[in-house]
Amino acid sequence: MSIENPKIPVEKLSTGIEGFDLISQGGLPKGRTTLITGTAGSAKTVFAAQFLAEGIRKTDEPGVFVTFEEHPAEIRKNLLSMNWNIAEWEERGLWRFVDASPQPGHESIESGEFDLGALLARIEHAVRTINARRISIDSLGAVFTLFSNVLLVRSELRRLSAALKGIGVTAVMTAERTQEFGEIARFGVEEFVADNVIILRNVLEAEKRRRTIEILKFRGTTHQKGEYPFTVLPDQGIIIIPISAIELKQRSSAMRVPSGSPEMDRMCGGGFFRDSLILVSGATGCGKTLMTAEFIGGGAKKGERCLLFAYEESREQLLRNAHGWGIDFEALEQNNLLRMVCAYPESAGLEDHLIAIKREIDSFKPDRVAVDSVSAMERVGTNRGFREFMISLASFVKHREIPGMFTATTATLMGGPSVTESHFSSITDTIILLRYVEMLGEMRRGVTVLKMRGSMHEKDIREFTIDDKGMHIGKPFRNIIGILTGKPEYLNVDNADRLSGMFRD
Amino acid sequence: MSICEKFLLRLYITGHTPRSERAIKNLRRICEHDLSGAYEMRVIDILEQPQLAEDEKILATPTLIKVLPPPLRRIIGDLSDTEKVLLGLDLLPVDLNLQ
């Protein structure tokens, strides 16, 4: 049995599971055993299988899968939905099953002492036959149900763990937990089999499921701490979203891009910055979609390609509305200047949406991105999930160094803060507020640039109108206070003069 | 069931450990005593032929498989509990315990 060289620090094996290598700072500890624990349905088996699958797909490393629960035929079939053709890998000597699943008719009578020497011999045989570098064992809890003597199973598993270390393979073992928060695993397996423990959670919160992964410990090496959301996609398996592991290292640009409206460009001191995030906040119907349309149109005039994610309106509605403002989305699409992705927020979980957005951006490679509206996503996930979604989305767009316009619908007609704003405003570079203004029994619309990082901008609240040519920003509202708070009040001219006089030297 | 029927038995062991030897000895004793020699016994060392253990999906050793007469039965352990072995070989009337 080989003893690890004490002079070399713990090496890591890149798993190939998206996001995992980032939160684990390089992968699983090489040549060691890692325990993956989670409740029923927490994607333990997927993790165990994906660990082997990615090894085969990315680096041609053969792997052994020891199954105590599901029959290999079921696993082959189930994982075909991930596009992992295990049968083919088996033929090519890249994957090998050690089938320890319960066999009908194999119930045995115990008479005297025994050990699991046969299982160990089979595993070692499988590893040697295909020269495996990775091994997954799913799951340890099932071993305990096969034999009456728990102490014996424990000592045999310890022997197995030691044997695996001796062969030098990197191993993943799964074990069940009964609760999301509580003891690490049933039968106390973590105490004797693994130097490293990873917890998968599938918590039901406010009627929504939220999957997270947490590296609890890596003996002798470092990792990111805390829970990270992940999702399981049908054709890709587990994808981890490494939110707080994202580095704040994007460059900054002084280059300006047109907003699509010359008046808005003036209000912003010459247009948006090329790598800025712009939040457009306003009540429903007060012109947010119009602003995104102008943003798209403005880009297209310069030959910039835009990707639009619409979560409130269908394609046809968007085409019609844009047409009403004099912007022909259909023509832009045909000229490959625009791609519209329309989806119901409820059609998927937040993590899935995020990954879909990333994939679209990666494949279309737009020059600007618009999301209308991000606040529609509020109702899909939990508060915390939504915040992570926003941060992740923002950072992803920023890293592309393209401008991103996000709209947020305020909770009430007259304005006021929304969840989106409170989560998002600190990471956006520019905030534009659109507000209804009631004046003498008439509804008008106001626009103001609330914040613009790194640039002078106008502080006025200007009136704007909408017609078949789009948005027209006019003169500032005078003698009105309380527009932003949603309670506009008229001041007569005397009062206004007195107010302005108060701040004069 | 007639005792005259010939028993076909396979004993899987991992190396010639004291436990393995004990199982072989116990099995021989039971066979000679209760099967009056009408048996064929094969000892398979899994360390030498791991593929055979894979084919039979054996986890524990020693494992005794009664291949014939049917039904197929598995007994694990060093076979020191003779009564359990006889039960596994269908040589004990099952209803004995119930009375």
Side-chain angles (χ1 to χ4, degrees):
Chain A
M1 208 171 276
S2 73
I3 303 290
E4 288 179 90
N5 187 342
K7 284 178 188 155
I8 299 170
V10 179
E11 276 185 86
K12 289 200 181 136
L13 177 76
S14 164
T15 57
I17 297 173
E18 203 178 317
F20 184 79
D21 294 349
L22 203 59
I23 66 164
S24 60
Q25 298 177 346
L28 291 176
K30 203 171 186 172
R32 295 189 166 189
T33 300
T34 301
L35 185 74
I36 312 287
T37 155
T39 52
S42 59
K44 296 186 295 292
T45 305
V46 177
F47 191 102
Q50 194 171 355
F51 172 60
L52 301 190
E54 301 291 2
I56 292 169
R57 294 200 303 184
K58 302 206 168 126
T59 48
D60 265 335
E61 286 183 320
V64 167
F65 196 99
V66 184
T67 174
F68 285 106
E69 265 177 355
E70 284 180 280
H71 195 270
E74 288 171 45
I75 297 176
R76 280 187 206 107
K77 196 180 162 91
N78 294 344
L79 296 181
L80 211 53
S81 66
M82 307 272 182
N83 269 333
W84 301 336
N85 194 342
I86 293 174
E88 189 212 310
W89 291 337
E90 282 177 295
E91 277 166 29
R92 289 170 52 202
L94 289 169
W95 180 296
R96 204 176 169 98
F97 276 111
V98 172
D99 180 11
S101 63
Q103 308 285 324
H106 280 198
E107 299 79 14
S108 46
I109 297 166
E110 291 179 18
S111 166
E113 291 172 30
F114 62 90
D115 59 39
L116 298 183
L119 175 68
L120 263 61
R122 285 170 63 192
I123 294 175
E124 285 190 43
H125 173 62
V127 168
R128 294 226 153 87
T129 311
I130 62 168
N131 196 19
R133 304 311 307 148
R134 302 181 178 211
I135 181 167
S136 286
I137 299 174
D138 182 56
S139 73
L140 295 185
V143 192
F144 285 90
T145 59
L146 290 176
F147 304 101
S148 57
N149 189 341
V150 173
L151 283 178
L152 173 117
V153 176
R154 273 169 185 255
S155 75
E156 288 299 295
L157 288 178
R158 192 180 291 127
R159 196 151 72 100
L160 171 64
S161 189
L164 292 176
K165 225 176 200 170
I167 313 172
V169 290
T170 307
V172 157
M173 294 185 178
T174 69
E176 306 60 31
R177 329 175 62 196
T178 44
Q179 296 165 309
E180 292 295 358
F181 300 93
E183 60 168 356
I184 291 174
R186 280 172 75 197
F187 307 107
V189 287
E190 78 282 2
E191 289 158 23
F192 56 91
V193 290
D195 298 327
N196 315 300
V197 178
I198 292 171
I199 299 178
L200 302 179
R201 291 196 177 89
N202 188 17
V203 181
L204 185 65
E205 199 182 324
E207 298 182 11
K208 281 149 195 153
R209 284 276 173 200
R210 183 166 175 271
R211 292 184 186 277
T212 61
I213 181 168
E214 177 189 8
I215 299 173
L216 189 71
K217 67 166 181 184
F218 268 1
R219 201 165 276 171
T221 180
T222 57
H223 57 88
Q224 298 276 350
K225 287 161 191 71
E227 290 181 87
Y228 292 86
F230 74 92
T231 184
V232 181
L233 288 187
D235 52 343
Q236 280 186 298
I238 291 173
I239 295 181
I240 297 161
I241 299 159
I243 284 164
S244 45
I246 295 170
E247 290 170 86
L248 203 63
K249 63 171 184 194
Q250 62 268 5
R251 287 180 299 173
S252 185
S253 164
M255 224 176 97
R256 304 261 187 170
V257 294
S259 67
S261 152
E263 296 104 328
M264 178 52 74
D265 288 350
R266 255 198 310 280
M267 286 177 78
C268 292
F272 300 138
F273 284 119
R274 199 195 62 189
D275 59 352
S276 64
L277 295 179
I278 304 117
L279 180 70
V280 178
S281 166
T284 175
C286 76
K288 296 186 301 298
T289 305
L290 169 62
M291 279 226 56
T292 55
E294 299 257 350
F295 180 64
I296 293 165
K301 266 184 210 148
K302 282 187 65 195
E304 290 186 356
R305 305 162 75 231
C306 186
L307 185 56
L308 169 67
F309 296 95
Y311 296 116
E312 288 182 342
E313 288 165 302
S314 70
R315 214 186 102 85
E316 277 65 34
Q317 278 175 301
L318 280 170
L319 291 178
R320 187 198 61 201
N321 295 348
H323 191 75
W325 301 317
I327 301 165
D328 191 349
F329 273 5
E330 219 161 4
L332 294 183
E333 264 190 327
Q334 276 156 13
N335 294 330
N336 204 23
L337 286 168
L338 171 67
R339 180 170 156 71
M340 284 185 265
V341 180
C342 303
Y344 262 118
E346 279 83 359
S347 63
L350 282 177
E351 290 84 7
D352 296 12
H353 274 303
L354 188 63
I355 288 156
I357 291 172
K358 286 182 178 180
R359 210 182 288 167
E360 288 286 353
I361 293 177
D362 280 337
S363 71
F364 188 70
K365 299 189 174 55
D367 301 304
R368 40 178 79 190
V369 170
V371 181
D372 183 35
S373 68
V374 280
S375 51
M377 290 292 180
E378 278 174 26
R379 49 182 203 259
V380 183
T382 60
N383 217 323
R384 195 182 148 185
F386 180 66
R387 191 179 57 109
E388 287 170 350
F389 167 81
M390 298 294 292
I391 294 169
S392 198
L393 176 62
S395 111
F396 184 74
V397 173
K398 277 213 111 155
H399 275 258
R400 292 287 175 284
E401 295 177 23
I402 51 175
M405 180 177 276
F406 302 87
T407 69
T409 309
T410 51
T412 62
L413 272 184
M414 298 313 291
S418 69
V419 180
T420 309
E421 280 173 51
S422 58
H423 286 335
F424 203 47
S425 50
S426 61
I427 46 177
T428 53
D429 305 287
T430 304
I431 298 179
I432 296 169
L433 295 183
L434 304 178
R435 288 287 186 268
Y436 284 117
V437 184
E438 187 195 335
M439 267 175 79
L440 303 172
E442 198 183 329
M443 270 306 192
R444 298 188 180 211
R445 291 182 172 93
V447 57
T448 185
V449 178
L450 193 68
K451 138 180 167 183
M452 175 117 184
R453 252 181 213 155
S455 168
M456 286 297 290
H457 61 91
E458 226 184 65
K459 312 294 191 287
D460 287 327
I461 303 173
R462 286 180 178 266
E463 185 181 6
F464 73 95
T465 54
I466 301 171
D467 65 13
D468 59 358
K469 300 260 179 336
M471 183 174 188
H472 303 282
I473 299 174
K475 290 200 161 51
F477 286 100
R478 294 288 178 217
N479 306 336
I480 283 195
I481 59 166
I483 294 175
L484 290 187
T485 54
K487 290 192 183 66
E489 245 177 82
Y490 241 127
L491 290 182
N492 60 40
V493 183
D494 288 352
N495 276 344
D497 281 347
R498 213 167 60 224
L499 266 174
S500 58
M502 278 166 70
F503 301 106
R504 205 168 283 151
D505 291 330
Chain B
M1 186 180 294
S2 146
I3 300 273
C4 303
E5 226 176 317
K6 194 166 178 177
F7 275 71
L8 184 55
L9 304 173
R10 275 196 216 132
L11 182 65
Y12 293 83
I13 55 168
T14 40
H16 287 270
T17 60
R19 187 178 288 154
S20 304
E21 299 300 340
R22 222 160 40 234
I24 296 170
K25 215 177 83 201
N26 283 331
L27 182 60
R28 284 237 163 83
R29 179 175 47 76
I30 294 165
C31 287
E32 288 302 328
H33 186 265
D34 292 271
L35 298 177
S36 39
Y39 70 94
E40 197 187 310
M41 170 180 150
R42 199 177 143 206
V43 178
I44 296 155
D45 188 347
I46 287 172
L47 296 186
E48 286 165 17
Q49 293 174 291
Q51 193 53 45
L52 291 180
E54 188 60 50
D55 296 342
E56 285 298 331
K57 310 208 184 309
I58 288 164
L59 301 179
T61 40
T63 290
L64 173 65
I65 298 185
K66 183 191 72 163
V67 185
L68 284 172
L72 204 82
R73 285 211 195 280
R74 295 178 166 230
I75 305 160
I76 58 174
D78 62 7
L79 310 177
S80 53
D81 187 338
T82 309
E83 199 166 315
K84 287 271 181 61
V85 179
L86 293 175
L87 189 76
L89 295 176
D90 298 301
L91 290 173
L92 274 189
V94 181
D95 53 359
L96 196 74
N97 303 330
L98 300 174
Q99 282 167 358

